[in-house]
Amino acid sequence: MPELIFPLDSTKKFTDQQLVGHNRWHPDIPAAVTVKPGDEFRVHVREWFDGAIHNDDSADDVLHAPLSTVHCLSGPFAVEGAQPGDLLVVDILDIGPIPQEDSGPLAGQGWGYTGIFATDNGGGFLTEQFPDAYKAIWDFSGHTTTSRHIPGVQFTGITHPGLMGTAPSAALLAKWNTREGALIATDPQRVPPLALPPEPQDAILGSLTGTAFGRAAAEAARTAPPRENGGNQDIKNFTRGSRVFYPVFVDGANLSVGDLHFSQGDGEITFCGAIEMGGFIDLRVDLIKNGMELYGVTENAIFLPGNEGPNYTEFLAFSGTSVTLDGEQRYLDSQLSFQRACLHAIDYLTKFGYSPEQAYLLLGAAPIEGRLSGVVDIPNSCATVYIPTAIFDFPVVPTAAGPVTIDPGPGAARATR
């Protein structure tokens, strides 16, 4: 097993650990550990809410989830010799739930969760149709998972880190804050907000203290979106065997990782659409000197997907076009097309007995595939959602006999206002 360089104790809060990670991006956050090119190492990772979401049948915890505290990132990890302009090569060697802990109060101890976030606390891809908070708990059995809140399905997860990236330079951080601030200013009262500005409250900045902490907390970027450094990309195919190439913006690169997912569908559409968990990840790092210029990779990460994961071969696909629910034509709006494809899939699954919320949660958690299938045929773009048919324990493909009716169980856990 690779050397464990960032241990976490499941009985302690994220801020009470031997090594404290961070939940904001800033170039001044000191490296927690330094590694060398070619090193292989293990990192423990806390689930993104540090235990605020519970294994129960209420979604009140999702309704009141403290968004200002996320994400709980392990790191930063400095790589000897890394300089701005290099490419940092990161191999994902292994990944999984919390080792040797198959029961307990933390997500990753044999279970995980998927949440629909309320519109006034994060929202989601379909927040206009699903404004309230719901939750589904998933139980792990090896590489497969089932849920008491969404019966009738079982699938193999594509386990991956939702968030990984390098530290921004001071100039890049300023660029983020300027452009995202300008976006917020176009509709500052929007719910949910257009972007999340720096928020000193609940900031965790590793070992940074004193006046340096206060200055950095006031300008550090929130970790919610993906950016030039990688970040919260939520790419389900970042699984074992993946090799990622990250731009380096600061000396040491300062790699961080968090937000582990047992499984996720393309898009993570409910916002907390993956099956969230804590766990471990084994990494190997290397450098390509001057790689940003050599390969023209200056403001994005590129990657080789891993070759592990469920081998589903049969799918039921749903299409959507860029026409709103009330019939308004939009011009090549692929975001809208994907929303409509998701809504069509949800409507279809309700014919078997699921509630719309159960179907929505399932699309976020199961390894569905989302595709932009047509982006040139004016005025309608076409997006598609592919659902593996093998995840269901009942026939889901249309037949002349009509849909079977399943027992939907207790349904998704719902928050009370």
Side-chain angles (χ1 to χ4, degrees):
M1 185 182 79
E3 178 186 1
L4 175 61
I5 66 169
F6 197 91
L8 292 175
D9 183 339
S10 295
T11 67
K12 297 179 180 179
K13 298 292 291 181
F14 187 64
T15 51
D16 295 332
Q17 301 291 330
Q18 173 187 347
L19 293 174
V20 177
H22 61 106
N23 64 0
R24 305 287 193 270
W25 292 116
H26 197 282
D28 293 347
I29 299 173
V33 183
T34 297
V35 297
K36 297 178 180 179
D39 281 357
E40 299 181 2
F41 52 90
R42 171 164 291 191
V43 174
H44 286 169
V45 180
R46 185 60 52 88
E47 64 91 13
W48 72 312
F49 271 118
D50 194 26
I53 310 300
H54 311 298
N55 185 352
D56 59 23
D57 298 321
S58 167
D60 288 355
D61 48 7
V62 173
L63 177 63
H64 302 294
L67 286 176
S68 61
T69 67
V70 297
H71 294 81
C72 295
L73 301 184
S74 297
F77 307 110
V79 180
E80 284 189 11
Q83 296 174 303
D86 296 342
L87 284 179
L88 177 66
V89 185
V90 182
D91 289 308
I92 300 177
L93 306 177
D94 200 3
I95 185 173
I98 300 174
Q100 310 303 315
E101 298 180 25
D102 58 5
S103 66
L106 289 178
Q109 293 177 316
W111 64 279
Y113 64 89
T114 302
I116 298 173
F117 272 55
T119 298
D120 56 5
N121 190 36
F125 188 57
L126 303 176
T127 196
E128 292 184 1
Q129 290 76 39
F130 296 90
D132 300 319
Y134 286 82
K135 182 176 71 180
I137 299 297
W138 299 87
D139 295 308
F140 304 156
S141 178
H143 289 270
T144 64
T145 187
T146 57
S147 173
R148 63 182 182 269
H149 294 124
I150 311 175
V153 295
Q154 176 176 307
F155 52 84
T156 301
I158 308 179
T159 310
H160 61 281
L163 195 162
M164 187 159 60
T166 54
S169 65
L172 183 56
L173 175 62
K175 180 187 294 186
W176 293 349
N177 287 337
T178 297
R179 74 188 185 200
E180 292 173 25
L183 176 62
I184 294 169
T186 65
D187 191 358
Q189 304 305 316
R190 185 179 186 272
V191 178
L194 290 170
L196 299 175
E199 174 53 76
Q201 180 178 339
D202 297 322
I204 303 170
L205 303 177
S207 60
L208 205 61
T209 59
T211 57
F213 177 95
R215 178 185 57 78
E219 60 189 21
R222 306 284 288 277
T223 57
R227 298 186 179 94
E228 289 91 331
N229 67 328
N232 194 29
Q233 294 182 292
D234 290 315
I235 299 170
K236 77 176 193 296
N237 302 102
F238 270 13
T239 189
R240 296 174 191 85
S242 293
R243 170 169 287 187
V244 195
F245 303 83
Y246 289 111
V248 174
F249 302 104
V250 300
D251 288 339
N254 282 6
L255 175 73
S256 299
V257 62
D259 191 29
L260 298 190
H261 298 162
F262 186 87
S263 179
Q264 180 203 297
D266 278 338
E268 199 187 9
I269 59 175
T270 73
F271 178 61
C272 181
I275 301 178
E276 305 284 350
M277 69 173 192
F280 76 94
I281 186 168
D282 294 343
L283 302 173
R284 179 173 56 233
V285 295
D286 210 337
L287 293 172
I288 299 177
K289 301 300 293 181
N290 197 35
M292 291 171 65
E293 180 179 351
L294 286 173
Y295 290 99
V297 180
T298 60
E299 57 179 24
N300 63 289
I302 60 175
F303 73 105
L304 300 170
N307 54 10
E308 288 195 5
N311 187 26
Y312 294 118
T313 58
E314 295 184 1
F315 298 84
L316 186 60
F318 300 82
S319 62
T321 57
S322 48
V323 179
T324 68
L325 285 171
D326 59 7
E328 179 188 351
Q329 179 72 63
R330 300 280 180 86
Y331 178 77
L332 296 182
D333 187 339
S334 296
Q335 175 98 347
L336 174 59
S337 300
F338 190 59
Q339 288 180 332
R340 293 304 304 272
C342 291
L343 289 170
H344 292 153
I346 290 168
D347 288 344
Y348 182 87
L349 292 173
T350 64
K351 300 302 181 182
F352 297 85
Y354 289 122
S355 71
E357 290 77 19
Q358 286 176 305
Y360 187 23
L361 286 162
L362 177 60
L363 293 188
I368 68 167
E369 295 186 7
R371 304 182 185 180
L372 299 182
S373 301
V375 295
V376 297
D377 297 315
I378 61 173
N380 274 329
S381 62
C382 178
T384 46
V385 171
Y386 289 58
I387 304 178
T389 57
I391 71 174
F392 299 96
D393 63 14
F394 57 90
V396 73
V397 176
T399 68
V404 300
T405 300
I406 64 158
D407 178 0
R414 181 177 183 177
T416 56
R417 291 275 185 174

